[in-house]
Amino acid sequence: MTPTKPSTSSTPSAVRESLLSAVNGLRTRLRALDLPTIAHPSTSDSPLPSKGQSTVLATQFAELTSEVDALLNKSATNRMDVELRSLRDELTASETLVQRILDLSTLAAIIQECDNTLSDLLEHIDSYPSFPTGILSSSYTCPLSSPPEKQMSGRIEFCKKSVHAVEAAVLRVADDKRAIAEQNRILQTWTELESMATDRISGRRSRPPSAISNGRLSRASLDGPRPALRK
């Protein structure tokens, strides 16, 4: 008599255990993303998240959401349905954290662009009436045949738009102390550099010490009063 082969089909208990293990693993992965800490750090010394960091987090979060939704379609018991829906609710609640991290990383990129723009303005101030000959970081262009004052005026307007872009990006995360500190720093530097550039066009030369430190843009006055942009 041929011996009966053991059944290879999974028992309901084994299926439940497998699903529960999967849910626990997904919940562990969600915790590992550390979204609350990145979105709301306990110290203002923490750097703003980069575009690369936020993109990776958003991708991993989307993968988790997709996997949870797939498991919901396989849920075999009421208990598993409750566990999965609880995890799905956690993911839904975390969506605002992911969006905040994306907004913070966008702000970080815009701040970097603005710093590059202001740095180039300083180079132009130093080289005026000539156009800067070194390697510049921003995308501002102007015909070299234009009069020096037009070249400088164009760069001033270009910088003003960059500063406004920072202000607009800060509005989305206005409760973040790092964002406000960076905005204050940029506005302080912009106000002083704009004054210096205007002086150069008028034939005057000035270099306020608080804007310049050893030839580099200063990060001083982070907590000072916020100057208003001139329209």
Side-chain angles (χ1 to χ4, degrees), residues 204-225:
R204 300 187 298 273
R205 188 181 183 95
S206 62
R207 180 174 281 239
S210 59
I212 309 302
S213 175
N214 297 324
R216 300 183 64 183
L217 297 182
S218 172
R219 288 180 175 261
S221 304
L222 289 182
D223 300 316

Side-chain angles (χ1 to χ4, degrees), residues 18-162:
S18 177
L19 284 173
L20 183 58
S21 176
V23 170
N24 290 336
L26 289 167
R27 183 171 277 115
T28 297
R29 285 165 57 189
L30 176 60
R31 300 285 189 274
L33 294 182
D34 204 18
L35 299 176
T37 300
I38 298 173
H40 300 283
S42 58
T43 172
S44 59
D45 293 334
S46 301
L48 293 170
S50 68
K51 267 295 184 183
Q53 181 185 10
S54 67
T55 299
V56 169
L57 286 174
T59 299
Q60 292 175 339
F61 184 80
E63 291 172 351
L64 280 171
T65 300
S66 178
E67 290 180 45
V68 170
D69 288 342
L71 280 179
L72 275 168
N73 294 328
K74 296 180 180 180
S75 180
T77 67
N78 288 336
R79 179 192 173 194
M80 284 309 307
D81 190 61
V82 170
E83 290 285 346
L84 280 168
R85 292 194 180 282
S86 174
L87 177 55
R88 190 63 180 82
D89 289 343
E90 288 185 51
L91 288 168
T92 299
S94 297
E95 288 175 359
T96 55
L97 296 176
V98 174
Q99 185 56 57
R100 180 181 176 84
I101 292 169
L102 289 170
D103 290 339
L104 287 170
S105 68
T106 295
L107 172 62
I110 292 174
I111 287 172
Q112 183 59 60
E113 291 177 5
C114 189
D115 276 336
N116 292 341
T117 300
L118 292 172
S119 179
D120 287 356
L121 175 58
L122 177 58
E123 291 291 335
H124 203 152
I125 290 170
D126 285 342
S127 66
Y128 191 85
S130 299
F131 197 85
T133 57
I135 298 176
L136 301 178
S137 303
S138 66
S139 59
Y140 171 73
T141 59
C142 180
L144 296 181
S145 58
S146 298
E149 60 273 15
K150 185 174 181 179
Q151 294 176 354
M152 179 65 86
S153 295
R155 190 178 294 281
I156 291 172
E157 288 303 311
F158 185 82
C159 285
K160 183 181 292 185
K161 291 179 181 179
S162 185

